[in-house]
Amino acid sequence: MVKVKVYVTLKEGVLDPQGKAVEQALDAKGFNGVSDMRVGKYMEFNLDANMATENQIEEMCEQLLANPVIEDYRYETEEVVSS
Amino acid sequence: MVKVKVYVTLKEGVLDPQGKAVEQALDAKGFNGVSDMRVGKYMEFNLDANMATENQIEEMCEQLLANPVIEDYRYETEEVVSS
């Protein structure tokens, strides 16, 4: 079994109104000095070892987990040691 | 300037219907072998160096970026070298 962690972020240059809203909310609460806030998604899941090829994970990201038109993704995998 | 990356995840034991939906959608698309999908948030932003104390970032997470009742968070910081 492999643990996969996927990070999905908006591409540079794509407007991020959610990030802007969070930034303003922080400022309103007195947390100043925040800039360039970007909000993305983080997903983690277990994957059967025989499915955990680079190719397979990239297909999952391209087809469902990220929108490749406006989003970038990166992922990490780590072996799960079954106890 | 410091770049801060915040990862927000649902606590273990908290139901994650969004993760379940993504898992089923992957399965329906022929990506089998996925289990324990959890969907969280990923935020990155720049912070003025004089604000970037551990205490300050934790306060931001507790008060706005995460819901400490049902979510865990962790963060990383890295120095931004201005060019």
Side-chain angles (χ1 to χ4, degrees):
Chain A
M1 194 112 87
V2 175
K3 176 157 218 106
V4 184
K5 298 177 178 182
V6 179
Y7 307 88
V8 178
T9 47
L10 282 171
K11 284 188 174 160
E12 245 181 89
V14 177
L15 274 184
D16 184 356
Q18 190 186 359
K20 231 351 147 209
V22 174
E23 200 178 303
Q24 285 168 2
L26 281 170
D27 196 67
K29 273 189 171 289
F31 297 106
N32 313 306
V34 176
S35 59
D36 286 325
M37 166 73 75
R38 310 285 283 173
V39 179
K41 275 171 287 182
Y42 167 69
M43 281 162 276
E44 55 178 47
F45 53 94
N46 292 328
L47 193 55
D48 284 354
N50 61 332
M51 290 284 287
T53 63
E54 237 172 70
N55 201 16
Q56 190 75 10
I57 297 172
E58 276 168 23
E59 273 300 306
M60 290 166 67
C61 291
E62 296 272 343
Q63 286 189 32
L64 197 88
L65 304 182
N67 174 355
V69 178
I70 54 166
E71 290 172 330
D72 288 323
Y73 63 85
R74 65 191 166 83
Y75 65 87
E76 294 162 4
T77 57
E78 72 195 46
E79 204 72 41
V80 177
V81 184
S82 51
S83 49
Chain B
M1 194 112 88
V2 175
K3 177 158 217 107
V4 184
K5 298 177 179 183
V6 179
Y7 306 88
V8 178
T9 47
L10 281 171
K11 283 188 175 161
E12 244 180 271
V14 177
L15 274 183
D16 184 356
Q18 190 186 359
K20 232 346 147 209
V22 173
E23 200 179 302
Q24 285 168 2
L26 281 171
D27 195 68
K29 272 188 172 290
F31 298 105
N32 313 307
V34 175
S35 59
D36 286 322
M37 167 73 74
R38 309 284 285 173
V39 179
K41 277 172 285 182
Y42 167 69
M43 281 162 277
E44 56 179 46
F45 53 94
N46 292 328
L47 193 55
D48 284 353
N50 60 332
M51 291 284 286
T53 62
E54 235 172 71
N55 202 15
Q56 190 74 11
I57 298 171
E58 276 167 24
E59 273 301 305
M60 290 165 67
C61 292
E62 297 272 343
Q63 286 190 31
L64 197 89
L65 305 182
N67 174 356
V69 178
I70 54 166
E71 291 172 331
D72 287 324
Y73 62 86
R74 65 192 166 85
Y75 64 88
E76 294 162 4
T77 58
E78 71 193 48
E79 205 70 41
V80 177
V81 184
S82 50
S83 50

